[in-house]
């Protein structure tokens, strides 16, 4: 009898197809620097960023929810646009890159697009087959390991 493991999952591609990995359609390596950042690291980086923004919001704005979201948005726009990473990304060895190449800056327009969609939450939790959130897809960016 054929089992599920023999068939593979429709999300994984065909059985025995090792050439497909997260980020393969984007030309990213399977592992190491420049490879697609794993979901666990991305979520942990998001949690670190949110906690820092919550701390800033508590100190400066009394912890108002919209102030926390605004601080989070500003952090993302400024840091991703100029440096290519937020505080959480940096701590966990991640970087946001434009798809055109490793040395390309994200820039303000793509950084702002990404931040606005990230703050809306829904585009960030819907992924494509390579594991990129719709916010990254719309902005033309990808989160990779350093």
């Amino acid at each position: 009898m054929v089992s599920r493991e023999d068939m593979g999952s429709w999300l994984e591609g065909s059985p025995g197809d090792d050439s497909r990995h997260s980020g393969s359609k984007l030309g990213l390596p399977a592992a190491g620097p420049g490879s697609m950042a794993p979901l666990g690291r991305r979520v942990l980086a998001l949690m670190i960023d949110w906690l820092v923004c919550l701390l800033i919001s508590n100190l400066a704005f009394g912890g108002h929810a919209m102030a926390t979201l605004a601080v989070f948005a500003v952090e993302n726009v400024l840091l991703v646009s100029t440096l290519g990473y937020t505080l959480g990304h940096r701590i966990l060895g991640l970087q946001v890159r434009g798809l055109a190449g490793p040395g390309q800056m994200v820039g303000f327009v793509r950084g702002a697009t990404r931040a606005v969609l990230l703050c809306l939450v829904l585009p960030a939790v819907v992924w494509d087959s390579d594991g990129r959130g719709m916010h990254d897809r719309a902005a033309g960016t990808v989160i990779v390991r350093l």
Side-chain angles (χ1 to χ4, degrees):
M1 173 168 261
V2 177
S3 70
R4 179 176 168 86
E5 289 76 36
D6 294 332
M7 296 302 291
S9 168
W10 64 275
L11 293 172
E12 298 167 0
S14 61
D17 184 9
D18 294 334
S19 64
R20 299 266 319 143
H21 60 272
S22 187
S24 64
K25 289 184 194 172
L26 305 172
L28 300 176
S35 66
M36 192 81 165
L39 179 61
R41 274 185 160 174
R42 294 185 315 211
V43 169
L44 192 54
L46 177 68
M47 290 170 59
I48 291 169
D49 289 334
W50 188 258
L51 287 173
V52 169
C53 293
L54 189 58
L55 177 65
I56 292 169
S57 173
N58 277 327
L59 293 174
F61 306 106
H64 191 276
M66 290 306 288
T68 305
L69 186 61
V71 170
F72 181 77
V74 169
E75 177 215 18
N76 269 273
V77 171
L78 292 178
L79 295 179
V80 169
S81 297
T82 58
L83 301 174
Y85 49 79
T86 63
L87 180 63
H89 290 149
R90 187 64 180 168
I91 290 170
L92 293 170
L94 305 177
Q95 183 177 30
V96 180
R97 291 186 182 163
L99 288 177
Q104 182 186 16
M105 293 285 291
V106 173
F108 180 76
V109 173
R110 286 194 291 181
T113 300
R114 186 180 183 282
V116 167
L117 293 173
L118 182 62
C119 288
L120 291 175
V121 179
L122 188 59
V125 297
V126 177
W127 301 294
D128 65 7
S129 60
D130 275 319
R132 278 193 315 158
M134 293 297 114
H135 65 299
D136 277 323
R137 193 174 168 110
T141 58
V142 63
I143 301 180
V144 297
R145 294 179 185 188
L146 284 176

